Amino acid sequence: MPKGAKLFSYDYAAMEAALKAVKEGMSILQASKQHGVPYSTLHNKSTGKSPQEKKLGGITFLTKDEENMLVLWANTSLEAGFPVTQEDLLDSVQYLVKELTRGTPFQQGRPGRRWYYRFLRRHPDLALRTPQTLTSHHVAVTPQWIMSWFNKVETHLHEKHLEEILQDPRRMFNGDETTFFLNLKGSAISTVKGSKNVHRRVIKDDQERLTVLIAGNAGGDLCPPLVCFKYEQFPQDIISSMPPDWGLGKSASGWMTGEVFFEYITNIFHTWLVAQNIPLPVILFTDCHTSHLTMHTSKFCKDNGIVLMALPPKTPTPTHGHCSV
C-alpha cells in the first residue's frame, strides 16, 4: 500500500443501504455520510464505474452470531436496570476479541467510534442508552415511585423463578463503591498577617485517588472489599499492608473499570460466597451508573448464580459519593 494511503473498511449492509438511498433520490455525499461508507467507492458503484457486486472491504470482524449475542446481552441488561453505554459495549467487544484470539485492526483490540456507529446501524433495535445527569430537581422521589421499583424487582425475580431469594437475608446483597481523594482541598491555615505565597506541601499528584468497592448482605455479612489504585505497578508496601483476603485493582485513573469490576465479581465476591456456604443464587443490587457491566461479567454471573439488579438511579445509597482523607 502506498505511503499515506487510507484503508477504508465498511460492511456490506451499509453499502447496500447507501446504494438504495442514492437510487431513491438521496445525494451520494449525503448517503455516504449517513451510512458511513467511502464517498469515492459509493460514487463509482452508483454511477457504474465499478460493479456493485464487487465487495471491497466490508469486514465486520465479528460474525453475525457474535454480534447478535452482544445485542441480546445489551437488551437483557436493560431489563435488569443496567442501560448499556457505548463504553460498556466497546469494553465487551475488546474482551470478546481477546478471548477469540482473532486479529483485528482495532487498536489494542478495542474498536473505535466508526465501528460503533456502524454496529448501531446494523442493529437498529439495540437498546443502548446515554447515562443521565441528575440535577437536584430530579433527585426527589416519592413513596409511590419507590414502591413501583420494588414491584419491578419482584416481577423480575418471579419471571426468573427466583422468588425464594427474598426469603433469605443472606442471599440479598447491596454493592457500593466510594472514591477517596488523598489530598484535601485548600483549607484555612494560620500564618503571619500580610504573608504572601502561602503553600501547603502535598504529594505530587493532587488528583491521586483510590476507589473502594464493597458488598454486604441483609444478614449483616460483609464481603472483603476491593481497592482500586491509580498505579501501573503496585508498590510493595501497599501489597504487604493489605489484609490477605482483600482485593487489589488498578486502573489508569484510579476509578473503577469494567475489567476491575469483573475481577471483583469473579475472584472476590463469588469466591467468598462459596467459602461462606451462602446458598446460590443470590441477588446483588448495585448502582447502575457505577457497575461497569460487560458481557463477560453478565455471563459469569448468569453461570454462577449471581443475579445483578440495578438500584434506582435517583436514590443513591447513603454511602455512595466521594470522600477526602
Side-chain angles (χ1 to χ4, degrees):
M1 182 182 297
K3 184 177 181 181
K6 293 183 178 180
L7 174 62
F8 289 101
S9 174
Y10 54 85
D11 58 87
Y12 303 143
M15 179 59 73
E16 291 173 357
L19 287 168
K20 182 180 178 180
V22 172
K23 187 176 181 180
E24 293 175 349
M26 183 180 292
S27 71
I28 297 176
L29 178 60
Q30 185 178 355
S32 170
K33 292 181 178 179
Q34 180 171 320
H35 296 280
V37 297
Y39 172 84
S40 58
T41 306
L42 178 59
H43 180 273
N44 291 339
K45 286 181 176 292
S46 62
T47 57
K49 291 184 179 180
S50 62
Q52 294 188 10
E53 66 272 11
K54 186 178 180 181
K55 296 180 178 180
L56 299 175
I59 304 172
T60 59
F61 304 108
L62 295 180
T63 67
K64 183 177 180 179
D65 287 342
E66 289 164 352
E67 290 201 352
N68 288 339
M69 180 173 60
L70 286 165
V71 173
L72 177 61
W73 159 71
N75 290 333
T76 302
S77 297
L78 184 62
E79 293 177 3
F82 297 101
V84 173
T85 66
Q86 176 179 337
E87 291 301 309
D88 297 331
L89 179 64
L90 298 183
D91 282 345
S92 296
V93 174
Q94 185 176 23
Y95 283 124
L96 183 59
V97 168
K98 183 178 180 180
E99 186 178 77
L100 296 171
T101 63
R102 181 180 301 163
T104 71
F106 306 148
Q107 186 175 4
Q108 297 180 344
R110 182 184 177 86
R113 289 188 302 172
R114 177 177 291 184
W115 180 93
Y116 171 74
Y117 288 117
R118 289 173 179 174
F119 180 85
L120 294 186
R121 283 196 293 271
R122 291 193 294 272
H123 305 280
D125 58 333
L126 183 59
L128 291 183
R129 297 290 185 270
T130 300
Q132 292 179 313
T133 300
L134 300 176
T135 63
S136 57
H137 174 72
H138 293 96
V139 170
V141 295
T142 65
Q144 293 79 11
W145 192 87
I146 293 294
M147 290 307 301
S148 175
W149 177 79
F150 275 108
N151 290 334
K152 289 180 180 179
V153 171
E154 289 184 340
T155 300
H156 181 80
L157 294 178
H158 177 74
E159 291 175 350
K160 305 294 183 181
H161 306 290
L162 297 172
E163 305 96 320
E164 74 277 3
I165 293 178
L166 300 179
Q167 306 304 316
D168 186 350
R170 297 185 70 206
R171 299 169 67 182
M172 295 183 287
F173 286 83
N174 178 38
D176 190 36
E177 69 178 69
T178 298
T179 298
F180 295 87
F181 290 93
L182 303 183
N183 284 324
L184 294 172
K185 297 292 184 179
S187 56
I189 62 174
S190 298
T191 183
V192 178
K193 186 176 181 179
S195 296
K196 298 181 180 179
N197 300 323
V198 178
H199 301 284
R200 180 182 56 164
R201 185 175 181 179
V202 298
I203 53 181
K204 61 180 180 180
D205 185 357
D206 62 0
Q207 292 299 314
E208 188 164 349
R209 66 184 69 88
L210 59 85
T211 305
V212 179
L213 176 60
I214 192 169
N217 63 22
D221 303 309
L222 287 178
C223 175
L226 179 143
V227 185
C228 182
F229 291 91
K230 186 181 176 182
Y231 289 135
E232 293 184 2
Q233 292 186 345
F234 291 114
Q236 186 58 44
D237 59 336
I238 293 292
I239 297 176
S240 60
S241 65
M242 280 287 175
D245 57 342
W246 286 28
L248 278 175
K250 59 183 179 180
S251 68
S253 63
W255 304 110
M256 197 66 59
T257 64
E259 182 179 4
V260 175
F261 186 68
F262 177 77
E263 293 298 326
Y264 171 78
I265 291 293
T266 58
N267 295 328
I268 299 178
F269 185 68
H270 179 259
T271 300
W272 180 82
L273 290 175
V274 174
Q276 297 295 314
N277 294 316
I278 293 178
L280 297 173
V282 301
I283 188 167
L284 173 61
F285 295 98
T286 66
D287 187 337
C288 67
H289 294 292
T290 57
S291 62
H292 318 287
L293 193 63
T294 63
M295 184 175 66
H296 288 65
T297 303
S298 296
K299 183 178 185 303
F300 179 88
C301 289
K302 181 180 179 181
D303 293 343
N304 291 276
I306 301 172
V307 181
L308 289 174
M309 287 291 294
L311 290 168
K314 299 179 183 179
T315 55
T317 55
T319 57
H320 180 74
H322 304 295
C323 303
S324 298
V325 294

